[in-house]
Amino acid sequence: MIDSLAIALVVIGALSGCSPGTVRINAAPVVGERAVFRYEIDATITRALDGEEPTTTRFTSTLLADQEVVAITEDGVEADITLRRDGTAPRSARVILDRTGAIRSIELVAGLESDELGLAELGSLLPPVVAPPTRRLAPGERWTISEGAVDGHGRLTRLGIIDDAKVAVVRTSVTEAIDDAVAGATSSATLRGELRSVATAAYDLADGSARRSSARSRGLVTALIEPPPWIDAVPAQGTISYDIRVEATRLS
């Protein structure tokens, strides 16, 4: 995922009888809710296959996303988004979000191809976004993260002010185990390894929206690439290293 897309959260301040200075960060997506985000992506990907000289690809892009929540399902939050990349014509996509609004998957809408947005290059190796616990949290409080292939820890680092708005700042550090099968046009590949990510997100205490987020992921995976079925050859082996940064800002 691209690491860092978010929708509204509800943050409830300290109630009478509760510990002073604590907050609760809890997702409450609403059908029809809209938001506009800017994503700045910077990725460096280096491949080394079967003894060949390594090749490095640099990917930088700015995406503007206008999203609207269309359904709440057991699998997550469905939203329609209009994406604009570096001044190109807008394209539409249906996305599946987790409860924090992070993109989990993209369905093709109106002929959209993921490689047009640079998503095919990054695949599923975008920094994972992990929601904070729904219980009340105090500044400095830490928690353990264990969600599927993702393990690590989080911390409510502080309560502060960004652009005159009171915010809660959450920092997470996680390791994601990678075990993906990727199907191409003529062959397939298996990727195994891990991705280590550090992310910081600031949540507005007035309306719960995620105002800003920043994430960086670094990882190394091994790749086993199967030849096309009509070619009699052994699979190619190699490694792929990743260094990915994603900055997200809510514009409205």
Side-chain angles (χ1 to χ4, degrees):
M1 45 24 350
I2 307 179
D3 136 62
S4 348
L5 182 64
I7 58 176
L9 306 176
V10 174
V11 181
I12 305 177
L15 299 177
S16 176
C18 297
S19 300
T22 62
V23 293
R24 177 177 291 134
I25 304 174
N26 190 23
V30 177
V31 173
E33 190 169 28
R34 301 190 65 176
V36 179
F37 289 89
R38 180 181 66 238
Y39 305 94
E40 296 172 85
I41 303 171
D42 188 342
T44 300
I45 302 171
T46 301
R47 303 175 182 83
L49 299 177
D50 275 347
E52 298 179 0
E53 287 294 320
T55 60
T56 299
T57 300
R58 179 75 178 273
F59 173 90
T60 60
S61 186
T62 298
L63 300 179
L64 290 179
D66 185 337
Q67 69 181 47
E68 180 178 0
V69 176
V70 297
I72 312 297
T73 71
E74 293 182 357
D75 295 329
V77 180
E78 291 188 14
D80 283 340
I81 62 174
T82 300
L83 293 163
R84 296 171 176 83
R85 177 187 175 190
D86 300 332
T88 61
R91 305 302 299 269
S92 298
R94 172 67 55 85
V95 302
I96 305 299
L97 312 172
D98 69 8
R99 73 178 183 85
T100 69
I103 292 180
R104 289 186 356 200
S105 65
I106 293 181
E107 301 174 11
L108 302 186
V109 176
L112 174 71
E113 296 294 340
S114 61
D115 58 352
E116 294 181 42
L117 301 171
L119 300 175
E121 180 63 60
L122 300 181
S124 62
L125 297 171
L126 289 173
V129 176
V130 182
T134 58
R135 69 175 185 273
R136 303 193 70 82
L137 300 170
E141 187 168 349
R142 299 174 182 270
W143 57 89
T144 299
I145 295 170
S146 182
E147 298 185 7
V150 176
D151 292 289
H153 61 271
R155 181 172 180 261
L156 176 56
T157 61
R158 63 185 176 88
L159 303 178
I161 296 177
I162 294 179
D163 297 332
D164 297 325
K166 295 180 180 180
V167 298
V169 180
V170 172
R171 181 178 176 87
T172 57
S173 178
V174 299
T175 298
E176 180 180 14
I178 304 298
D179 189 354
D180 287 340
V182 181
T186 60
S187 63
S188 62
T190 300
L191 303 178
R192 291 190 174 91
E194 64 180 22
L195 199 66
R196 298 180 182 273
S197 303
V198 175
T200 301
Y203 300 102
D204 194 316
L205 292 177
D207 62 9
S209 63
R211 298 183 63 89
R212 298 179 186 173
S213 64
S214 174
R216 184 176 187 181
S217 290
R218 295 175 177 174
L220 179 68
V221 301
T222 59
L224 184 66
I225 304 173
E226 299 288 344
W230 60 85
I231 295 179
D232 185 12
V234 298
Q237 298 185 24
T239 60
I240 309 174
S241 65
Y242 297 84
D243 188 348
I244 305 168
R245 300 173 185 262
V246 179
E247 304 279 344
T249 304
R250 179 165 181 165
L251 303 180
S252 67

